[in-house]
Amino acid sequence: ETLQNLERMAKLDIHRDDIAAMLEPYYIERGSWESLHRLLELKLSSTEDEIDRLDLYKRLADINLTQLDRRLDGCHWISQAFRADPEDDGLLVQLEQLSGEIGEYGALKDTLLSVATGVEEVERKIELWHKAAALLEHQLIEHVQAEEIYRLILNERPDDSAALQALDRLYLASERFEELELIVERQIDAVEFEDDQIGLLMRLGDLRRDHLDRSDDAVEAYQAVLDINDTHRNALSSLAQLHTSAGRFDELFDVIR
């Protein structure tokens, strides 16, 4: 009867913290995890201090995961903890791992986007955007929203190679060749090494020749390859074919000379 009275008083927020201090060890000793869970939720409802709330989120997550075998609920409380402390990489790793195990990709995406919105530090924001966009692209197959987030990233960091490559994949898969051309051009400007530039310039030339019906612009791309490496076989071959098709024999002679 004493226990019931204490629990009733706790629910009514009568000396709740003092009562919780008495009941918590009692519940733990007896393995009354559901009762402890309810008590911690009551404490949370009347706790305003951010550090104390974060501790309660973590404790609720731990009870669900280690004592009650409720991974979905545990995932919820880890998400709440990460929202409260978005700089905690340990919470982020735990949240990603658990969400993947139980297939809660949509909820994870929502958490990442929500946290990114409130984060001031740009690098952290971009990191979370990348994770959310990857979920949308590969797990949730929501390519329109994934594209929107990749563009948000490029607004903050115009030369972000991962975002550029992601838009490259999306535009190529959906055969949006005009938009793909712009992304390939941006990648050419962003890459550092000549071999990477050459590969992208060859793609640009092939794209203009095969999908955009702009042979003259394709010639420009292949010529840019030769400006870097004047013995590049594929560029020489592509230029020779274009000049032959267009009857530009003087230019063809210059290529094969």
Side-chain angles (χ1 to χ4, degrees), residues 241-252:
Q241 292 172 11
L242 288 174
H243 290 323
T244 299
S245 299
R248 295 190 293 258
F249 298 110
D250 289 341
E251 289 87 342
L252 174 61

Side-chain angles (χ1 to χ4, degrees), residues 3 22-35:
L3 176 61
M22 291 186 287
L23 290 180
E24 284 185 37
Y26 176 84
Y27 289 150
I28 293 171
E29 182 181 351
R30 286 158 179 76
S32 301
W33 304 112
E34 287 283 7
S35 297

